[in-house]
Amino acid sequence: MTTEDIKNVLKNLNSCQEWSLMLLRFRKRNSEYVCNTHNIVVTTKNALIDFVSDLSKTYTDNHGKIDSYQTVQPYDGSAEGTLIYQIAVTDALVSEAYNKILLAINNPDVGGNPLEFNANTYVLRGNVVIDGDNKEITLFTIINPFRTLKHAWSWTGEAFKSVPGKLLALRSHVDVLLYDGCLYFFNMNGEKLFDMERAYKQICDKKIDEVLDAQLVNDEDCFRQYASSGFNPRKFVSYNKNRVDKLKSDKAFHDLVVKKFGVTCDSNGAFDSTDKNNVNRLVKFICGKGMIDPTDEKPVEVDGSRAWG
């Protein structure tokens, strides 16, 4: 998918004449990710259709929101505001939370007062015609849609009257698009929705085991402690096993990394993992977050490494 493909999808939102709207609440309960949903019924004719039409224009008109994005990129743990991140719903980073959200959407709470639901997201779903085919679209906006307007009055035809209670007010933005088996993050709110911090840590632990199996460091406990702290877990999303394998098998490459990236070694040639800064440098390198600036041959931290286009 490209930004133009996503723009085409959003342009065709108008082809759906029946949208469903529901509230979603996700949270941690005893360290476990849980979520549930509540259907919302809007009786005003065409209200949701009109809203989605305006939403579509906000993103796809000239100088619309989609134009602010440079490209669509596979999710790699970076957080660049000009990129839309794509990730399959089967990816280990999101699959567990996605399946729970899907189950909740397909089994919404029955009854109860939606104003007491404590939603932190609302969800729009519909079937949209894309290139002649019906495709299910799901739009997630991660915000409580209820608002209380203080000192607000509406015109009754004869006078102004106070607006009581809470109002359902949908926003003109989308955080996550679900389309054709993939999630598209327009910002990083999707990381919270799909409980990705938990997944980062699980993936980080597995990749740390791989590094330790390669016997590259001199203190396994220190390496595990430092490599799994701070922002390092999300760096392991872009972990490059080829770099680890080459560090182990190619001494010339190993020595070049030591020289270029300032990763120090002990007398036996193992990377010194008792030094936190040293571990951070090594993590950046094996996760594609460290590169050499060609202008001065000095190491620099980067968001990620991608093929030159």
Side-chain angles (χ1 to χ4, degrees):
M1 289 277 282
T2 66
T3 53
E4 283 303 310
D5 293 328
I6 291 181
K7 192 172 188 177
N8 183 51
V9 169
L10 297 178
K11 275 185 176 179
N12 283 282
L13 294 181
N14 292 324
S15 65
C16 178
Q17 296 300 302
E18 188 173 349
W19 288 92
S20 68
L21 171 65
M22 62 178 56
L23 306 176
L24 169 67
R25 179 171 74 240
F26 65 90
R27 68 255 185 228
K28 287 291 186 67
R29 179 188 293 161
N30 297 326
S31 300
E32 181 184 358
Y33 180 87
V34 295
C35 59
N36 54 321
T37 59
H38 193 298
N39 273 332
I40 292 293
V41 177
V42 179
T43 57
T44 303
K45 186 177 181 180
N46 295 333
L48 287 180
I49 293 174
D50 291 343
F51 168 76
V52 172
S53 177
D54 287 344
L55 181 67
S56 173
K57 292 175 183 176
T58 297
Y59 277 86
T60 63
D61 278 357
N62 288 336
H63 306 297
K65 291 184 178 181
I66 285 295
D67 293 336
S68 66
Y69 295 99
Q70 293 179 352
T71 188
V72 178
Q73 175 186 301
Y75 183 85
D76 63 357
S78 60
E80 296 184 45
T82 58
L83 300 180
I84 297 173
Y85 291 96
Q86 176 182 351
I87 186 168
V89 297
T90 55
D91 192 294
L93 280 169
V94 297
S95 59
E96 184 176 335
Y98 168 77
N99 288 329
K100 289 182 177 181
I101 290 172
L102 185 63
L103 181 64
I105 287 175
N106 291 331
N107 298 275
D109 290 357
V110 177
N113 185 347
L115 297 176
E116 299 173 354
F117 185 74
N118 295 323
N120 49 18
T121 300
Y122 65 85
V123 184
L124 282 161
R125 301 182 87 192
N127 290 305
V128 176
V129 179
I130 306 293
D131 298 327
D133 296 324
N134 279 319
K135 296 284 189 177
E136 186 176 74
I137 299 290
T138 306
L139 305 172
F140 297 90
T141 301
I142 303 166
I143 195 171
N144 186 332
F146 293 109
R147 299 176 64 185
T148 300
L149 299 181
K150 293 184 177 180
H151 311 303
W153 300 271
S154 63
W155 177 246
T156 65
E158 297 179 354
F160 285 95
K161 183 179 180 180
S162 294
V163 179
K166 293 182 179 180
L167 301 177
L168 177 64
L170 305 186
R171 310 304 203 271
S172 61
H173 77 269
V174 174
D175 293 306
V176 180
L177 162 68
L178 169 58
Y179 172 71
D180 207 19
C182 285
L183 299 165
Y184 296 89
F185 291 180
F186 294 104
N187 54 56
M188 303 294 47
N189 286 338
E191 293 183 339
K192 295 183 291 185
L193 175 61
F194 291 96
D195 193 28
M196 293 178 74
E197 183 178 355
R198 170 202 54 81
Y200 290 147
K201 292 179 179 178
Q202 291 179 346
I203 289 176
C204 175
D205 288 342
K206 292 179 182 178
K207 302 309 181 185
I208 286 175
D209 287 340
E210 288 187 15
V211 177
L212 296 181
D213 288 343
Q215 298 181 330
L216 293 174
V217 300
N218 62 1
D219 190 311
E220 294 187 357
D221 290 339
C222 283
F223 181 81
R224 186 178 296 280
Q225 176 186 347
Y226 296 144
S228 61
S229 65
F231 291 104
N232 282 338
R234 70 181 296 134
K235 290 185 174 74
F236 277 94
V237 173
S238 55
Y239 168 82
N240 189 329
K241 188 176 186 299
N242 290 334
R243 292 191 175 194
V244 172
D245 291 342
K246 195 166 184 179
L247 283 171
K248 180 179 180 179
S249 63
D250 188 333
K251 186 177 186 305
F253 179 73
H254 178 283
D255 292 345
L256 181 64
V257 170
V258 169
K259 178 181 177 181
K260 292 289 188 180
F261 289 91
V263 187
T264 58
C265 295
D266 64 14
S267 58
N268 296 317
F271 292 115
D272 180 11
S273 53
T274 63
D275 183 333
K276 182 177 181 179
N277 291 330
N278 209 45
V279 171
N280 287 339
R281 294 187 195 103
L282 181 58
V283 168
K284 289 172 187 176
F285 175 74
I286 63 178
C287 296
K289 305 300 183 182
M291 297 290 164
I292 298 298
D293 187 335
T295 60
D296 57 14
E297 293 294 313
K298 290 183 178 180
V300 293
E301 183 173 358
V302 295
D303 285 324
S305 57
R306 296 179 285 275
W308 188 272

